[in-house]
Amino acid sequence: MKKILVTLFFLSLLSCTSTKIVSSWCEPNKQITINNLNKVLVVALFKSETTAHNAEDQMVGYLNGKGIQSYNYFTASFDKKNEDVIRQKIKTDGFDGAITMRLIDVDKEKIYNPSEINYYPDVYRSFSGYYYSLWSHGKTPGYYTTTKKFIIETNVYSIKTDKIIWSSITETIDPDGVEKLTNEVAKVVYKQMVKEQFVN
Protein backbone atom coordinates (compact mmCIF):
# COMPACT_ATOMS: atom_id res chain seq x y z
CA MET A 1 0.00 0.00 0.00
CA LYS A 2 2.85 2.34 0.90
CA LYS A 3 4.52 1.74 -2.47
CA ILE A 4 1.26 2.55 -4.27
CA LEU A 5 0.89 5.83 -2.38
CA VAL A 6 4.48 6.82 -3.13
CA THR A 7 3.98 6.00 -6.82
CA LEU A 8 0.79 8.07 -6.98
CA PHE A 9 2.59 10.96 -5.27
CA PHE A 10 5.38 11.03 -7.85
CA LEU A 11 2.90 10.68 -10.71
CA SER A 12 1.04 13.72 -9.37
CA LEU A 13 4.28 15.68 -9.35
CA LEU A 14 4.98 14.71 -12.95
CA SER A 15 1.51 15.80 -13.99
CA CYS A 16 1.86 19.26 -12.44
CA THR A 17 1.96 22.03 -14.98
CA SER A 18 4.80 24.53 -15.26
CA THR A 19 2.46 27.05 -16.93
CA LYS A 20 0.62 29.79 -15.08
CA ILE A 21 -1.59 32.75 -15.95
CA VAL A 22 0.28 36.01 -15.39
CA SER A 23 -2.60 38.28 -16.35
CA SER A 24 -5.97 38.12 -18.09
CA TRP A 25 -8.57 40.59 -19.27
CA CYS A 26 -12.19 40.18 -20.31
CA GLU A 27 -14.58 42.64 -21.92
CA PRO A 28 -16.33 44.23 -18.90
CA ASN A 29 -19.94 43.75 -20.01
CA LYS A 30 -19.33 40.27 -21.50
CA GLN A 31 -21.86 40.79 -24.27
CA ILE A 32 -19.99 38.21 -26.33
CA THR A 33 -18.30 35.09 -24.96
CA ILE A 34 -17.08 31.82 -26.47
CA ASN A 35 -20.57 30.44 -25.87
CA ASN A 36 -22.03 33.05 -28.24
CA LEU A 37 -19.60 32.21 -31.03
CA ASN A 38 -20.43 29.51 -33.57
CA LYS A 39 -17.40 29.42 -35.89
CA VAL A 40 -13.95 30.32 -34.56
CA LEU A 41 -10.72 30.62 -36.51
CA VAL A 42 -7.69 29.54 -34.45
CA VAL A 43 -4.37 31.11 -35.43
CA ALA A 44 -1.04 30.28 -33.75
CA LEU A 45 1.75 32.67 -34.68
CA PHE A 46 4.97 30.73 -34.07
CA LYS A 47 8.10 30.53 -36.22
CA SER A 48 7.98 26.74 -36.24
CA GLU A 49 5.20 25.36 -38.42
CA THR A 50 5.03 22.22 -36.29
CA THR A 51 4.64 24.27 -33.11
CA ALA A 52 1.93 26.42 -34.71
CA HIS A 53 -0.01 23.38 -35.93
CA ASN A 54 0.17 21.67 -32.55
CA ALA A 55 -0.97 24.81 -30.72
CA GLU A 56 -3.94 25.23 -33.06
CA ASP A 57 -4.89 21.56 -32.70
CA GLN A 58 -4.86 21.83 -28.91
CA MET A 59 -7.00 24.96 -28.79
CA VAL A 60 -9.47 23.61 -31.37
CA GLY A 61 -9.88 20.54 -29.17
CA TYR A 62 -11.32 22.72 -26.39
CA LEU A 63 -13.83 24.47 -28.66
CA ASN A 64 -16.18 21.49 -29.08
CA GLY A 65 -16.49 21.60 -32.86
CA LYS A 66 -16.57 25.40 -33.15
CA GLY A 67 -12.87 25.84 -33.98
CA ILE A 68 -11.05 25.58 -37.28
CA GLN A 69 -7.26 25.56 -37.58
CA SER A 70 -5.85 28.33 -39.75
CA TYR A 71 -3.50 25.85 -41.44
CA ASN A 72 -6.56 23.95 -42.63
CA TYR A 73 -8.32 27.12 -43.72
CA PHE A 74 -5.80 29.37 -45.47
CA THR A 75 -4.49 27.82 -48.66
CA ALA A 76 -0.87 28.18 -49.71
CA SER A 77 -1.84 30.65 -52.44
CA PHE A 78 -3.80 32.90 -50.05
CA ASP A 79 -2.30 36.35 -49.43
CA LYS A 80 -1.96 36.44 -45.65
CA LYS A 81 -0.36 39.91 -45.76
CA ASN A 82 -3.46 41.64 -47.12
CA GLU A 83 -5.54 42.65 -44.11
CA ASP A 84 -8.61 43.67 -46.13
CA VAL A 85 -8.67 40.37 -48.02
CA ILE A 86 -8.38 38.40 -44.77
CA ARG A 87 -11.17 40.37 -43.09
CA GLN A 88 -13.51 39.96 -46.03
CA LYS A 89 -12.81 36.25 -46.50
CA ILE A 90 -13.39 35.45 -42.82
CA LYS A 91 -16.70 37.31 -42.75
CA THR A 92 -17.85 35.80 -46.03
CA ASP A 93 -17.09 32.29 -44.79
CA GLY A 94 -19.21 32.82 -41.67
CA PHE A 95 -16.60 33.19 -38.93
CA ASP A 96 -17.83 35.17 -35.95
CA GLY A 97 -14.77 34.70 -33.74
CA ALA A 98 -11.00 34.22 -33.80
CA ILE A 99 -8.37 33.12 -31.30
CA THR A 100 -4.70 34.01 -31.70
CA MET A 101 -1.68 32.66 -29.83
CA ARG A 102 1.83 34.06 -30.16
CA LEU A 103 5.16 33.81 -28.41
CA ILE A 104 5.98 37.22 -26.97
CA ASP A 105 9.38 36.45 -25.48
CA VAL A 106 11.72 33.83 -24.07
CA ASP A 107 13.47 34.93 -20.88
CA LYS A 108 16.63 33.20 -19.72
CA GLU A 109 17.49 33.38 -16.04
CA LYS A 110 20.77 32.23 -14.54
CA ILE A 111 20.29 30.84 -11.03
CA TYR A 112 23.05 30.09 -8.55
CA ASN A 113 22.56 26.94 -6.49
CA PRO A 114 24.59 27.28 -3.25
CA SER A 115 26.90 24.59 -1.98
CA GLU A 116 25.62 21.85 0.29
CA ILE A 117 27.22 20.19 3.27
CA ASN A 118 26.76 16.44 3.29
CA TYR A 119 27.18 14.55 6.54
CA TYR A 120 28.17 10.90 6.64
CA PRO A 121 29.29 8.54 9.42
CA ASP A 122 33.03 7.86 9.58
CA VAL A 123 32.48 4.26 10.59
CA TYR A 124 34.75 2.40 8.22
CA ARG A 125 38.07 4.12 8.82
CA SER A 126 38.80 2.91 12.36
CA PHE A 127 37.33 1.10 15.33
CA SER A 128 37.32 4.24 17.46
CA GLY A 129 35.43 6.08 14.75
CA TYR A 130 32.84 3.34 14.60
CA TYR A 131 32.57 3.06 18.38
CA TYR A 132 32.04 6.75 19.07
CA SER A 133 29.93 7.30 15.94
CA LEU A 134 31.93 10.27 14.91
CA TRP A 135 30.59 12.29 11.98
CA SER A 136 32.58 14.05 9.34
CA HIS A 137 31.25 16.13 6.51
CA GLY A 138 32.03 17.00 2.93
CA LYS A 139 31.06 20.04 0.88
CA THR A 140 29.50 19.96 -2.57
CA PRO A 141 30.45 23.08 -4.54
CA GLY A 142 27.78 25.49 -5.75
CA TYR A 143 26.81 25.66 -9.42
CA TYR A 144 24.76 27.67 -11.90
CA THR A 145 21.68 26.55 -13.82
CA THR A 146 19.81 28.38 -16.56
CA THR A 147 16.00 28.36 -16.78
CA LYS A 148 13.90 29.39 -19.76
CA LYS A 149 10.59 31.19 -19.38
CA PHE A 150 8.27 31.18 -22.41
CA ILE A 151 5.76 34.06 -22.41
CA ILE A 152 2.71 33.53 -24.65
CA GLU A 153 -0.17 35.88 -25.41
CA THR A 154 -3.63 34.50 -26.24
CA ASN A 155 -6.37 36.79 -27.59
CA VAL A 156 -10.01 36.19 -28.49
CA TYR A 157 -11.70 38.46 -31.04
CA SER A 158 -15.27 39.02 -32.07
CA ILE A 159 -15.42 39.19 -35.88
CA LYS A 160 -18.86 40.81 -35.84
CA THR A 161 -17.81 43.72 -33.64
CA ASP A 162 -14.21 43.61 -34.90
CA LYS A 163 -12.67 43.98 -31.44
CA ILE A 164 -10.82 42.00 -28.79
CA ILE A 165 -13.05 40.49 -26.10
CA TRP A 166 -10.60 38.40 -24.01
CA SER A 167 -6.85 38.26 -23.51
CA SER A 168 -4.27 36.50 -21.35
CA ILE A 169 -0.53 36.23 -20.78
CA THR A 170 0.97 32.91 -19.69
CA GLU A 171 4.42 31.93 -18.47
CA THR A 172 5.85 28.45 -18.92
CA ILE A 173 9.12 27.54 -17.21
CA ASP A 174 11.41 24.95 -18.78
CA PRO A 175 8.76 22.96 -20.69
CA ASP A 176 9.69 19.40 -21.60
CA GLY A 177 9.46 19.95 -25.34
CA VAL A 178 7.37 22.11 -27.67
CA GLU A 179 4.36 19.80 -27.61
CA LYS A 180 4.13 19.95 -23.82
CA LEU A 181 4.46 23.74 -23.98
CA THR A 182 1.50 24.19 -26.32
CA ASN A 183 -0.54 21.55 -24.50
CA GLU A 184 -0.06 23.27 -21.16
CA VAL A 185 -0.80 26.75 -22.49
CA ALA A 186 -4.04 25.64 -24.18
CA LYS A 187 -5.15 23.80 -21.03
CA VAL A 188 -4.35 26.65 -18.63
CA VAL A 189 -5.95 29.27 -20.90
CA TYR A 190 -9.12 27.20 -21.22
CA LYS A 191 -9.33 26.74 -17.43
CA GLN A 192 -8.96 30.51 -16.98
CA MET A 193 -11.79 31.12 -19.45
CA VAL A 194 -14.02 28.73 -17.50
CA LYS A 195 -13.04 30.40 -14.23
CA GLU A 196 -14.02 33.79 -15.59
CA GLN A 197 -17.25 32.33 -17.03
CA PHE A 198 -16.10 33.30 -20.51
CA VAL A 199 -16.81 29.72 -21.56
CA ASN A 200 -18.96 26.99 -19.97
Side-chain angles (χ1 to χ4, degrees), residues 134-154:
L134 297 178
W135 293 80
S136 59
H137 61 272
K139 188 175 182 180
T140 301
Y143 59 94
Y144 285 94
T145 57
T146 301
T147 62
K148 285 186 178 181
K149 183 190 297 181
F150 293 80
I151 304 171
I152 294 179
E153 175 189 66
T154 303

Side-chain angles (χ1 to χ4, degrees), residues 74-87 89:
F74 292 121
T75 61
S77 60
F78 185 76
D79 185 6
K80 298 179 183 179
K81 296 180 180 179
N82 192 321
E83 183 180 345
D84 293 331
V85 172
I86 292 176
R87 184 185 292 109
K89 178 175 175 57

Side-chain angles (χ1 to χ4, degrees), residues 36-53:
N36 304 130
L37 303 177
N38 298 306
K39 191 175 182 180
V40 182
L41 181 64
V42 179
V43 183
L45 305 170
F46 296 103
K47 290 183 178 179
S48 167
E49 190 174 272
T50 301
T51 303
H53 288 189

